[in-house]
């Protein structure tokens, strides 16, 4: 199969997996704490943290979607999953991976690569979630005109955030990459329950 035909097939499959609605953006609650791993990362890479020059969403076109899928696949297939303890002997260390990394490292590399593709950093947001087993995890949220989509090293698909199994806790602010905001994720609320 030619590369072009393969790319078109992948776009079609990816498009079927992304069923986001235009209003499927996350609801934010306001400022919250920055993860310590990100705080330390910002000290090492200050150019990646601070006010964003522009804010906005990514328009999903065939070209932009292809770039998103290609970066997601390249990183997911090219990096070997390992914990910070296995790699560095510490519980938490956010860094750009070269051959191995944990979930935050996957996210940092995807964010970096998509920014190099011309996407604004304000639409590429590191996001902290809770997995169904209760463990913490990081994914990349991409703000688009079709809602917020998620790139995850545990899933090859680019998914509307509402289709993931996670409880969304917080993410980077679109205005300032060093600031974080809490996410209102009421999807697991029982019908008829009150807060």
């Amino acid at each position: 199969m030619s590369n072009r035909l393969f790319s078109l097939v992948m776009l079609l499959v990816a498009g079927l997996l992304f069923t986001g609605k235009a209003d499927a953006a996350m609801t934010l609650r306001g400022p919250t704490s920055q993860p310590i791993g990100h705080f330390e990362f910002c000290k090492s890479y200050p150019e990646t943290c601070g006010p964003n020059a522009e804010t906005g969403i990514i328009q999903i076109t065939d070209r932009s979607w292809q770039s998103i899928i290609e970066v997601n696949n390249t990183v997911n297939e090219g990096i070997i999953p390992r914990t910070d303890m296995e790699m560095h002997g510490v519980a938490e260390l956010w860094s750009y991976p070269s051959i191995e990394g944990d979930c935050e490292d996957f996210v940092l590399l995807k964010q970096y690569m998509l920014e190099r593709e011309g996407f604004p950093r304000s639409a590429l947001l590191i996001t902290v979630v809770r997995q169904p087993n209760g463990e913490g995890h990081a994914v990349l949220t991409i703000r688009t005109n079709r809602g917020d989509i998620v790139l995850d090293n545990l899933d090859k698909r680019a998914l509307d955030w509402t289709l993931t199994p996670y409880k969304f806790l917080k993410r980077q602010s679109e205005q300032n990459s060093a600031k974080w905001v809490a996410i209102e994720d009421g999807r697991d609320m029982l019908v008829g329950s009150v807060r």
Side-chain angles (χ1 to χ4, degrees):
M1 180 182 298
S2 74
N3 285 341
R4 180 156 170 70
L5 180 57
F6 178 76
S7 293
L8 290 172
V9 169
M10 290 307 296
L11 283 172
L12 177 61
V13 170
L16 293 173
L17 295 173
F18 180 71
T19 58
K21 300 175 281 186
D23 62 349
M26 295 174 192
T27 301
L28 306 176
R29 287 194 319 220
T32 192
S33 61
Q34 179 183 23
I36 188 66
H38 189 251
F39 176 80
E40 295 296 328
F41 177 82
C42 287
K43 290 193 323 191
S44 297
Y45 298 93
E47 69 280 3
T48 67
C49 300
N52 291 317
E54 59 179 284
T55 59
I57 60 175
I58 295 169
Q59 298 298 313
I60 295 296
T61 63
D62 288 345
R63 185 168 185 249
S64 64
W65 189 250
Q66 182 174 2
S67 293
I68 290 167
I69 297 305
E70 286 176 0
V71 165
N72 193 49
N73 290 340
T74 298
V75 175
N76 283 353
E77 294 169 8
I79 302 300
I80 300 164
R82 295 205 44 208
T83 67
D84 286 327
M85 190 59 74
E86 292 170 323
M87 293 182 297
H88 310 292
V90 296
E92 193 68 22
L93 178 68
W94 292 28
S95 60
Y96 289 116
S98 56
I99 59 171
E100 58 189 10
D102 70 353
C103 58
E104 296 93 2
D105 304 338
F106 278 79
V107 170
L108 288 167
L109 185 56
K110 290 174 188 182
Q111 184 184 57
Y112 174 84
M113 290 174 69
L114 286 168
E115 191 174 6
R116 295 304 167 267
E117 290 283 324
F119 296 103
R121 179 172 292 273
S122 64
L124 307 169
L125 306 172
I126 303 169
T127 306
V128 175
V129 299
R130 183 175 300 120
Q131 298 178 73
N133 66 7
E135 291 184 21
H137 184 53
V139 297
L140 183 65
T141 296
I142 302 178
R143 298 181 62 247
T144 79
N145 63 314
R146 292 177 56 189
D148 292 336
I149 62 172
V150 169
L151 302 185
D152 185 359
N153 68 301
L154 300 179
D155 194 322
K156 293 181 181 181
R157 303 170 295 173
L159 290 174
D160 180 296
W161 76 281
T162 62
L163 299 177
T164 70
Y166 303 130
K167 172 77 174 172
F168 284 73
L169 304 175
K170 58 185 170 181
R171 74 179 191 196
Q172 287 178 295
S173 164
E174 62 193 73
Q175 285 84 26
N176 187 322
S177 297
K179 304 290 183 186
W180 286 68
V181 292
I183 299 167
E184 181 67 43
D185 185 353
R187 293 175 300 144
D188 61 349
M189 299 287 289
L190 296 174
V191 174
S193 64
V194 294
R195 293 188 178 176

